[in-house]
Amino acid sequence: MLFDTFLESVVKIEHLELFGEISHAKMSPPYRLELAERMKEKAKTAKKAGVLALFYPKTVETHLVLILRKTYKGVHSAQVGFPGGKYEDEDKDLMFTALRETKEEVGVPEDMVNVIKQMSPLYIPPSNFMVHPYMGISEITPKFVKQDEEVEAIIEVRLQDFLDDANSITTKVSTSYNVEVNVPAFQLNGHIVWGATAMMLGEVKDLLKQVL
């Protein structure tokens, strides 16, 4: 989709109601509801994080940036996610966190991003984080610079590919609990995106389909 066309339509998202659990459930692993219910009390004191779904023009077409995380000893090792990270005490709010972490991880300055929507928060049981996602736009093509310590690769996804239902799949993955399960996922640029990121992307997709 041409970025100018996208820009004209996407502003309508600001006035839409969020889909929340309706969107999340469509991309949720089968075991997640039970797990979240068991950890309901723990979720009340979960750590907080802010992440950003950033759309921008690249050769006149609209793209979305994701990142492939480094392999490390942790529950999100080598997974695809949004740029973003943990709320720090000096952050004035979670939107600031999302923008700060986006600058640190992929090199996009805060003043290049116009945040147009705060999306539904999502609790992640394996890491005990409550993640607060935001949708933002850069009208200028970013010059991405990846943070080598945490980011293995920057993934630039065409909006048209993201919205294409043919790229919504079911696949078998090994969870952080060492169990293989079939899960709903997105297949984007040769990467499988599942779990919390897929659930948040599900809401992004549902919102975009209301206005595009």
Side-chain angles (χ1 to χ4, degrees):
M1 174 178 287
L2 294 177
F3 187 72
D4 288 346
T5 305
F6 172 79
L7 210 51
E8 287 176 10
S9 300
V10 77
V11 291
K12 301 171 192 170
I13 275 182
E14 181 184 351
H15 305 292
L16 294 183
E17 288 190 21
L18 295 169
F19 290 91
E21 290 183 6
I22 296 171
S23 292
H24 292 166
K26 289 190 282 188
M27 301 303 295
S28 173
Y31 57 84
R32 191 184 185 282
L33 268 179
E34 181 187 344
L35 184 60
E37 184 64 28
R38 289 209 315 263
M39 297 186 70
K40 190 183 289 186
E41 285 304 310
K42 195 173 181 182
K44 293 177 182 176
T45 56
K47 297 166 286 184
K48 295 178 182 178
V51 301
L52 183 67
L54 178 63
F55 294 88
Y56 58 94
K58 182 181 179 183
T59 59
V60 308
E61 278 199 84
T62 308
H63 283 68
L64 164 69
V65 65
L66 298 171
I67 60 171
L68 176 64
R69 298 208 172 274
K70 289 276 191 182
T71 299
Y72 65 99
K73 289 183 179 179
V75 294
H76 303 302
S77 172
Q79 289 186 2
V80 175
F82 295 106
K86 184 181 177 183
Y87 173 84
E88 302 291 349
D89 289 340
E90 59 268 25
D91 293 346
K92 62 181 181 181
D93 54 32
L94 283 154
M95 186 174 82
F96 181 91
T97 303
L99 293 170
R100 174 182 58 75
E101 285 281 345
T102 296
K103 181 181 180 182
E104 290 176 10
E105 292 189 333
V106 298
V108 180
E110 295 95 326
D111 59 7
M112 274 182 61
V113 181
N114 174 28
V115 175
I116 61 169
K117 190 75 171 176
Q118 179 175 359
M119 298 183 297
S120 303
L122 180 65
Y123 178 59
I124 305 179
S127 55
N128 193 34
F129 264 99
M130 185 67 75
V131 178
H132 296 258
Y134 296 83
M135 189 185 302
I137 296 169
S138 171
E139 295 189 30
I140 301 167
T141 306
K143 295 180 180 177
F144 292 116
V145 180
K146 73 181 179 73
Q147 183 183 37
D148 287 331
E149 295 83 5
E150 296 186 21
V151 181
E152 182 66 32
I154 292 172
I155 304 166
E156 299 186 69
V157 179
R158 289 174 65 242
L159 175 62
Q160 212 61 43
D161 293 335
F162 169 54
L163 295 179
D164 187 348
D165 289 337
N167 290 320
S168 295
I169 63 170
T170 299
T171 188
K172 184 169 282 189
V173 300
S174 180
T175 73
S176 54
Y177 300 98
N178 296 317
V179 177
E180 285 202 341
V181 293
N182 287 315
V183 299
F186 291 101
Q187 187 167 279
L188 301 170
N189 293 34
H191 296 276
I192 300 298
V193 187
W194 67 285
T197 301
M199 293 169 72
M200 290 183 280
L201 278 173
E203 184 172 47
V204 174
K205 182 176 177 178
D206 286 344
L207 286 167
L208 289 175
K209 287 206 165 186
Q210 295 290 303
V211 299
L212 299 181

